[in-house]
Every structure is written in C-alpha cells, then in structure tokens.
Amino acid sequence: MQFFDKLCTNISQNQSLLFVGLDPNPEMMPTHYQSQDVITGLGNWLKFIIAETADFVCAYKPTLGFYEALGIPGLELLYQTLTAIPSHIPIILDAKHSDLNTSSIFAHTVFTQWQVDAITLSPYTGQDHVAPFLVYPDKAVFILCCTSNPGAETLQQYPANDSPLYLQVVKEAKNWGTPEKLGLEVGTTNPEVLGLIRAVAPERTIMARSIWAEGIKLKQILEAGLNTNGDGLLIPVPQDMLANPKLSQEIQSLRAEINQTKIQITSDASSCSVWLPDVRFGHRQTSNDLILQLYDIGCIMFGNFVQASGATFPYYIDLRKIISNPQVFNQVLSAYEKILRNLTFDRLAGIPYGSLPTATGLALRLNCPMVFPRKEVKAHGTRKVIEGNFSAGEIVVVVDDILISGKSVVEGAEKLKSAGLNVHDIVVLIDHEQGVQERLLENGYRGHAVFTISQIITTLYQTERINNEQLLAFTQS
C-alpha cells in the first residue's frame, strides 16, 4: 500500500491528525523508568507510548538522531521500536538526511531493511538528493522547508520577508515529487508562516512541528494549515504529554479538541484566510495544483506576446518546458489519461512537434500503439505522410498541447483521415476558448481539454500568482 493511502486510511480509522514522536531522549524519560538500565528504560517507555496511543494517532515519527546518539544499543532500540509499531500505522523516519553521496544506499536501508514508510529530507542538495528516495513506489518523503529555531530566521527569511527562502524551497520541492510522494515538514511557532506555505502548496500534506508555543491557539494553527477538505495537516502530540501516566486519556482529549475545532472551521470556510476551491487531501491530484506548477516552472507567462496566428495576447503558453520537469510531466500525463480512458480508440496520434512527447508518454501508459502525421512529407525514402503501423478503418484519437485557432490539429487530423483512419476526438491540455470547440465540431471532431484558459487565469488570480492588472488585461483581450 502506498504511504499516503496508508496514512489516509489511518486518519479515517482513528479519526485523528495526530502523530507521535518516538524519541528516546533520556532527559524526557519519566522518573519511574529511570531506575532501569538506560536503554531498557527508554525501550519500556517507548512501548508504553505506542500501546497508549495506537488507536488515537495517524502516524509515528521516530527521530533517528536520538537513537544514533545512544550508539549501537540505540540503533538496536530503533529496530525494536519499529517492530513494536502496529503494521497498519505509517512510520515517518525523522532523519533530515542531507548527504547526496549516501542517498541511494540510505534510501535502500530505511525503505527495504527498516521498512519505514516515509522519511524527512533536507532540501539543500536539491532534487539529485531526493530522487533516490522517490524511486520506491510505495514510499514518500517530507521535505524540510522551515524550522522554528531563532537562529535560522536570517537564512529562512532571506532575501526579504515578502519573498523568503523557505517559500522558494516549497515551490521548488513541488517539482520534485507528486503529492502522493512528497509532503512538507514545517517547524514554526507562527501560524502566518504555516498559512503562507499552505497558500503556495494547497495540495500538499504538511507535517507541522514546534506549534505548541505559549500563546498560540489551536484554532489559529488549524485555520492556517488545513486544506479545504479539513485535512492535509499532521499535528504533533506535545512532547511533555508523552511522560504523562494517563497518556491515553490526554491524547483522546487532544484529538477531540482538534476534531471539534475542525468542525467549526469547515462549517464556515470564509473564516479561513487561505481557503481555496477544489483542493483535496493526500494522494488525490488537484487541477489547481497542476495549474500552479505549470505557472511556477514558466509555462504560463504574462506580457504582450504575438501568437503564431498574428494576434497579440496578454499572456503566452509555452508547454515545451514540461518535458524538462519529470514530476510535472507525470501529472500532465495523468490529466490527459483521465480524459482518454473515457474515449474509444485503437491508436494515439500526436501532432508534431509539441505534443509528440506527450503522445509517446500516453502510449506507454495506456499500452496503446501510436502514430503521427508528418509535418512535412519527406522527399526521399518511403515518403510517408503517417509514421507508424496502422490499418485502414482504425479509430485514432488525436493528442495536442493547446487549442488556439485549431488550424494545425485539424490539418493533422485530415492527414490521418486521408490515410484511411477515423478521427472522432481531439484531446488537448489547454483550450483558449476562442470558439475553437465550435470550429472543431463543424469539421466533425469532438474537442476535449484538461483546462480552459479562463480556469487557469481564475486559479492564478485566486492564489495571488497574478494581480488585478493582469486579470483585467486577460478579460479585455
């Protein structure tokens, strides 16, 4: 089972967003365990915590550093602790791993030998460091994007408070992994920081840390961190609560308070300043997220741009950048696939040149043969108009990237038809809504689009990626 499926199942079963840190810190160990050998006392305390909380939490988070500090006995204690956790509860190993050279072998160790479900990673060695952990299909990572210690503020807020480094980390990390594979770790005592991260990453699961500062109210944290479905936020059990002999009662009380506060917030969505439409928890990819990622990697730009048709638009769409961002490309393919699975066809066809990578990826995903009409016919060799094997009478669905006038995609479809193939449907990522769907119907084709340009502009405006002036320029174009 994939990590986020496992997490969502446990959240639903235990009705809890709480996770517990399983940290063998001798300084925090209750006094009645201290008369024993240190390792034995810590082990018994951790077993007590697991027994008292297993029915009331969604995940456990052992911190690797505490076990390492105890030497070889500490690593043996880690193995015993991992074994004691019920198999249906996900384990997030808090490693903050940051060494590129050991990433592959460490990923193999924690995921295949230790059998943890997710791990925390430092972002500063970039995607090269994270990639070895993402190749395990049922595992996940949490990227550390913000910490609460005062000494980190000068780095995290650089270069300015309105464009801090920690938000750039969030934006970049979203390109490394899909929501079901990559979440965010946020340590902060400031609900505003949590809210800013939620606004940039509405679809991501956030594992909060250090939120129980004096004066911070639970409702502020939940309003800032929850997504519109009232989920997407993992909340730590306070460390001092774990020493309480009546831990089970304490954690049930905290769980009830969180759930009651959630109900209050979700019953009045307008009370949450970062409330956004169409956002769901966990592994479900949202259309909003994909739009934001396309914007963040530079596929959607604003200014005065002359189109191929000669018209001037206040924006420009360059989808060729997608193929250089594998995680975004994967999400784009998923969006196309959702439409294609409801259509009937024998083969896929891409329109040269922009949609050929997309058509190729979809052919592999759907295990469907692919052809494509040549943009220009070769003056040598076979002089084929259509590349690939096919039989006359087969149904071909045409895949393209964007519909503006529809001229190029119709020309491609007509070439396919001239070779005896049947074309009924054309699927694109973006429809410019310039009456092109009607023109396709006039030519005998049904058009399908993942997004309309209006949907894209609305999402970018609601998430403050574009301003009033840019919105106005679009509406007047």
Side-chain angles (χ1 to χ4, degrees), residues 148-162:
S148 60
N149 56 301
E153 186 172 345
T154 55
L155 290 175
Q156 292 174 167
Q157 293 291 344
Y158 181 85
N161 288 340
D162 58 350

Side-chain angles (χ1 to χ4, degrees), residues 333-373:
L333 293 178
S334 296
Y336 274 98
E337 183 182 358
K338 187 175 181 180
I339 295 174
L340 289 168
R341 289 198 178 277
N342 293 317
L343 304 178
T344 301
F345 53 91
D346 302 304
R347 297 179 189 273
L348 281 163
I351 300 299
Y353 294 102
S355 68
L356 290 183
T358 301
T360 303
L362 290 168
L364 291 170
R365 277 214 181 180
L366 299 171
N367 193 27
C368 177
M370 173 186 159
V371 297
F372 69 87

Side-chain angles (χ1 to χ4, degrees), residues 8 12 64 93 110 125 162 226 263 308 391:
C8 289
S12 176
L64 181 60
L93 182 66
V110 300
T125 42
D162 58 350
L226 291 174
I263 292 173
S391 299

